[in-house]
Amino acid sequence: MKVAVLPGDGVGREIVPEAVKVLKAVSNGRFELELEYGAIGMSGVEATGKPLPDETLAMAQRCDAILFGSVGGPEYEQWLRKNKVRSGLLQLRRTLGLNANLRPVRPIRELASVSTLKPEVIDGLDMLIVRELSSDIYFGEPRGPVESANGERESINTMRYRESEVRAIAHVAFKAAQQRNRRVCSVDKANVLETMQLWRDVMTEVGREYPDVELTHLYIDAAAMALLRTPTRFDVIVTGNMFGDILSDEAAMLAGSLGMMPSASLAPGGKGLYEPIHGSAPDIAGRDIANPLATILSAAMLLRYTLKRETEAVLVEEAVRRVVAAGTRTGDIMETGCTQVGTRAMGDAVVAALAG
Ligand code: NAD
């Protein structure tokens, strides 16, 4: 099994080594794991002048899976804007055909009081957000930078979906629901946007192929509200790239912190990129205080989805739960009576829990 390790920028460089420690510990004596390291994001620019260096892309293509940290920061954003280049991560997702982003939201019971919602509202919450990742307004053409037109600045982006793209993500969502509680809620804005009318029509058509799964539809504004009001009503939420981006950050707050939310981006062939949903967190980078658990839980998804190592995936998830339940916490999930630790100590605690 070959895994490309791309820490990226900011806290990515601190949290990915902790997930690697955990992967090495859980694979030890069970299966061979070959790791290759590459640069991406501002680290890629600094090393090669490109946010997605050719060597990194080649490595990602030949490996079975990719463990990713984060890219970003003010310097990187400025560089991309100045050079009119797309983010290395967007290029990578596009080139590898990573069209389905899976974001499970299953808060750890012992962290219930860290959430800003009442514990009874999130009690029993177990949902999966399936976000389309390769299309929508993030990729639609025409698009254009800010330009002067008729005496003022103007810019354009295009929300565009092809039927085949919606169909592909619909199948991912319905198949996932068959393994869960057989309910799919498709989120769109079909009352206003033609693109989203297409989305709803295709979802409905594909839904007929899965008579054992209940399909409902919600507009994005209603879904954003329902997620806070009655989150446990959801099983699988399927939505477009932009709406999924926003909804899944909202859902992260149900789990207490962005630092607890893993994700998997999968290509139809089975290749996957695994990353926390948060960014490079420049405000806390380099201080050994970032929470590595979202990345460690992403490594568990890597074990489950690409390496087909369900037993080891559960071992990692259970180790994380035990560490948190024992009161070992990074600052973002700290509570009275718990012990605050840094990024590295949290990684060590998970490795120790795996051994124990
Ligand atoms: P962010 O997710 O980096 O941070 C938002 C807030 O959450 C910050 O206060 C941060 O300190 C906190 N946070 C994030 N991860 C944490 C962790 N592991 N532990 C504890 N606290 C954590 O979002 P942002 O500040 O809006 O973006 C920063 C940069 O990251 C931007 O350049 C953005 O484009 C980029 N970004 C990258 C990705 C990615 O690589 N997939 C995703 C989102 C944002």
Side-chain angles (χ1 to χ4, degrees):
M1 301 292 184
K2 274 194 188 159
V3 176
V5 180
L6 312 181
D9 306 325
V11 294
R13 298 181 204 183
E14 300 167 67
I15 53 182
V16 167
E18 301 313 311
V20 167
K21 261 188 212 168
V22 171
L23 271 181
K24 283 184 176 165
V26 79
S27 62
N28 190 16
R30 291 191 176 91
F31 59 95
E32 289 288 316
L33 197 60
E34 201 180 310
L35 304 175
E36 297 189 37
Y37 289 81
I40 190 165
M42 198 61 211
S43 317
V45 172
E46 282 160 4
T48 68
K50 286 183 178 179
L52 178 60
D54 299 342
E55 312 86 84
T56 302
L57 178 59
M59 181 192 303
Q61 282 169 323
R62 72 175 169 265
C63 284
D64 301 296
I66 299 143
L67 181 65
F68 183 87
S70 55
V71 289
E75 203 192 342
Y76 184 52
E77 277 161 18
Q78 260 175 21
W79 188 92
L80 292 176
R81 217 171 150 172
K82 187 164 147 242
N83 292 280
K84 297 193 172 67
V85 173
R86 231 173 247 189
S87 153
L89 179 59
L90 288 187
Q91 290 180 40
L92 189 63
R93 284 176 180 163
R94 185 77 161 183
T95 316
L96 297 180
L98 303 169
N99 68 327
N101 186 229
L102 308 189
R103 298 184 166 193
V105 187
R106 204 174 39 192
I108 294 176
R109 194 173 287 268
E110 287 79 3
L111 278 183
S113 48
V114 174
S115 170
T116 49
L117 294 187
K118 294 180 192 138
E120 61 267 29
V121 175
I122 52 169
D123 189 34
L125 175 64
D126 179 1
M127 84 170 107
L128 178 70
I129 300 184
V130 178
R131 168 187 169 196
E132 199 289 326
L133 205 58
S134 60
S135 189
D136 201 350
I137 195 162
Y138 293 176
F139 293 98
E141 299 284 348
R143 62 186 292 149
V146 177
E147 280 172 0
S148 287
N150 303 320
E152 61 177 331
R153 285 172 296 172
E154 183 181 280
S155 184
I156 179 173
N157 290 95
T158 304
M159 180 179 268
R160 181 185 293 256
Y161 263 115
R162 286 202 310 267
E163 178 182 347
S164 55
E165 294 166 333
V166 183
R167 208 166 275 284
I169 197 71
H171 282 293
V172 173
F174 283 106
K175 287 198 168 81
Q178 284 181 321
Q179 306 299 319
R180 297 173 46 95
N181 292 317
R182 298 174 185 270
R183 284 181 285 123
V184 168
C185 176
S186 168
V187 173
D188 60 39
K189 191 70 183 168
N191 51 339
V192 179
L193 302 166
E194 285 82 354
T195 324
M196 291 287 104
Q197 286 163 9
L198 171 71
W199 176 280
R200 188 172 284 217
D201 290 348
V202 176
M203 280 290 157
T204 307
E205 286 158 27
V206 175
R208 290 194 196 107
E209 297 175 39
Y210 297 85
D212 54 333
V213 178
E214 178 199 75
L215 171 65
T216 52
H217 303 272
L218 270 185
Y219 297 133
I220 175 67
D221 40 344
M225 201 172 63
L227 210 48
L228 296 184
R229 200 179 160 93
T230 46
T232 50
R233 68 190 264 190
F234 295 111
D235 178 23
V236 174
I237 290 180
V238 61
T239 189
N241 203 346
M242 181 165 65
F243 294 159
D245 194 357
I246 299 164
L247 275 192
S248 53
D249 267 28
E250 186 188 345
M253 286 298 106
L254 306 174
S257 168
L258 275 178
M260 294 302 301
M261 289 280 290
S263 84
S265 303
L266 305 177
K271 184 179 298 259
L273 180 147
Y274 299 86
E275 58 169 326
I277 76 159
H278 62 74
S280 59
D283 53 334
I284 60 166
R287 292 161 53 194
D288 190 39
I289 57 174
N291 184 349
L293 293 180
T295 318
I296 291 172
L297 292 169
S298 303
M301 293 184 83
L302 184 156
L303 289 163
R304 172 170 295 124
Y305 289 108
T306 302
L307 305 189
K308 309 288 181 214
R309 291 270 167 184
E310 177 65 23
T311 307
E312 286 79 7
V314 173
L315 281 175
V316 172
E317 288 166 348
E318 188 47 30
V320 167
R321 198 199 60 73
R322 288 212 305 277
V323 166
V324 168
T328 305
R329 306 287 174 85
T330 42
D332 57 314
I333 51 171
M334 183 60 190
E335 290 180 286
T336 318
C338 295
T339 309
Q340 188 161 343
V341 297
T343 311
R344 285 192 294 271
M346 183 57 106
D348 292 341
V350 176
V351 170
L354 272 173

